[in-house]
């Protein structure tokens, strides 16, 4: 910012806003300080204190190899890959149980720690010439010292969609929910799937809806997004709402990926819904709220 407002310091709230919450990054040249946040990863779990809060760098041995994650409320966070959590302080837990308890920015930091460490574990060697990769300072990326291959951390995009249709005469709208053949099979979830290379998010929604439940949708609208640390490293979920193109069409499942798909009145949803910290649930709750207006 330039001009009188900047001279009067009126841009201070903006910089305060920038430091609040979680901001991913890998600042070049910064070194871990004892009071910085520490997110040790052991297998697919994170080590936290007994209350689920991040440990501090000083809680771990001085020779720990730290990887920058960004900042949480202005405090730098660092991850490290531990092979054993046996002798270290804290409690090892998966992202799902952590995200259910801690505020969203903490869950986002934890999600990034798991994603970055998992990615580093699986990107040790150059895929072109087999040399050992080195870190690229200031970025979450690696580079091959021999052939120069640049290996940035990549995200997988996935879409999910809350499909509604008008309820029977005088009744509330209905929402389509599905049950999966693998994972939490008891849960009623939304139609979802990974985006293919060369495909837009919107096209992915139409394709997944056709493949999974053999329906067509229109009035597709973007809802929001969430980094997701459960289905793999670096997954970004993009949520949409849509309307069934034919309000009388019934879903058909293939029995392999999905075992069931049903319309539910939004005033009579099942109890087995996705957890409160998930964008699936935010979409379902928003759909219920919209239908009651
Ligand atoms: Zn190479």
């Amino acid at each position: 910012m330039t001009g009188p407002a900047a001279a009067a310091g009126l841009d201070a709230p903006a910089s305060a806003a920038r430091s609040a919450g979680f901001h991913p990054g890998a600042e070049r040249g910064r070194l871990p300080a004892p009071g910085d946040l520490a997110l040790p990863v052991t297998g697919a779990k994170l080590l936290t204190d007994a209350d689920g809060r991040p440990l501090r760098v000083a809680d771990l041995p001085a020779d720990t190899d730290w990887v920058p994650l960004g900042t949480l409320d202005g405090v730098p966070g660092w991850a490290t890959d531990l092979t054993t959590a046996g002798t270290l302080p804290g409690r090892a837990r998966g992202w799902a149980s952590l995200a259910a308890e801690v505020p969203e920015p903490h869950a986002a930091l934890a999600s990034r720690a798991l994603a970055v460490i998992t990615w580093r574990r699986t990107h040790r060697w150059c895929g072109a010439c087999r040399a050992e990769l080195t870190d690229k300072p200031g970025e979450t990326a690696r580079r091959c010292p021999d052939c120069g291959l640049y290996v940035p951390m990549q995200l997988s995009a996935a879409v999910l969609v809350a499909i509604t249709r008008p309820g029977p005469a005088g009744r509330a709208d209905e929402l389509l929910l599905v049950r999966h053949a693998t994972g939490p099979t008891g849960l009623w979830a939304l139609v979802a799937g990974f985006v293919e290379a060369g495909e837009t998010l919107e096209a992915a929604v139409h394709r997944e809806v056709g493949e999974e439940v053999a329906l067509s949708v229109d009035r597709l609208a973007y809802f929001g997004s969430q980094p997701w640390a459960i289905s793999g490293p670096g997954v970004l979920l993009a949520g949409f709402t849509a309307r069934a193109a034919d309000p009388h069409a019934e879903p058909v499942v293939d029995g392999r990926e999905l075992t069931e798909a049903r319309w539910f009145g939004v005033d009579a949803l099942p109890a087995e819904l996705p957890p409160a910290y998930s964008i699936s649930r935010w979409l379902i709750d928003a759909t219920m709220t919209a239908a009651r207006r």
Side-chain angles (χ1 to χ4, degrees):
M1 189 189 291
T2 55
L10 295 182
D11 57 344
S15 49
R18 271 198 298 279
S19 66
F22 171 59
H23 298 274
E27 200 176 318
R28 183 195 287 265
R30 193 199 282 268
L31 293 172
D36 285 355
L37 304 173
L39 291 99
V41 175
T42 171
K45 292 186 169 180
L46 273 162
L47 219 55
T48 68
D49 76 6
D51 300 322
R53 287 185 302 246
L55 299 171
R56 300 286 168 165
V57 164
D59 294 331
L60 282 101
D63 61 353
T64 300
D65 190 15
W66 296 107
V67 179
L69 296 175
T71 59
L72 180 66
D73 295 335
V75 181
W78 304 86
T80 190
D81 195 359
L82 297 179
T83 49
T84 169
T87 57
L88 291 157
R91 177 179 163 203
R93 46 198 306 193
W95 184 72
S97 81
L98 193 62
E101 282 178 31
V102 301
E104 201 190 338
H106 289 249
L109 175 68
S111 154
R112 181 163 164 86
L114 284 166
V116 169
I117 293 299
T118 308
W119 168 74
R120 287 173 61 86
R121 260 183 220 150
T122 52
H123 292 77
R124 292 177 56 199
W125 312 101
C126 178
C129 80
R130 309 181 196 181
E132 186 162 11
L133 298 174
T134 57
D135 288 322
K136 193 164 187 322
E139 293 181 32
T140 306
R142 315 200 85 190
R143 189 168 46 191
C144 176
D146 286 0
C147 76
L149 184 76
Y150 176 64
V151 187
M153 183 168 167
Q154 289 171 331
L155 291 177
S156 300
V159 292
L160 66 171
V161 57
I163 306 166
T164 52
R165 71 175 185 182
R171 305 276 300 277
D173 272 3
E174 293 181 329
L175 173 68
L176 184 76
L177 294 174
V178 302
R179 274 181 156 160
H180 287 88
T182 56
T185 52
L187 217 58
W188 285 101
L190 299 176
V191 169
F194 283 103
V195 180
E196 294 284 346
E199 187 175 51
T200 63
L201 297 174
E202 293 82 354
V205 171
H206 289 291
R207 180 182 51 75
E208 286 291 346
V209 171
E211 287 175 4
E212 292 199 347
V213 289
L215 292 177
S216 297
V217 293
D218 54 26
R219 289 164 59 186
L220 191 61
Y222 178 68
F223 172 81
S225 63
Q226 184 184 28
W228 191 247
I230 292 176
S231 34
V235 175
L236 180 65
L237 299 177
F240 290 83
T241 57
R243 212 62 178 161
D246 174 0
H248 304 294
E250 291 300 325
V252 178
V253 298
D254 65 4
R256 290 195 302 273
E257 194 170 347
L258 298 184
T259 56
E260 265 187 286
R262 268 177 56 190
W263 294 104
F264 288 90
V266 294
D267 50 2
L269 294 179
E272 305 85 5
L273 291 174
Y277 59 83
S278 67
I279 190 171
S280 298
R281 186 57 171 274
W282 306 340
L283 265 164
I284 291 169
D285 290 349
T287 305
M288 284 167 58
T289 304
R292 283 177 184 149
R293 276 202 200 106

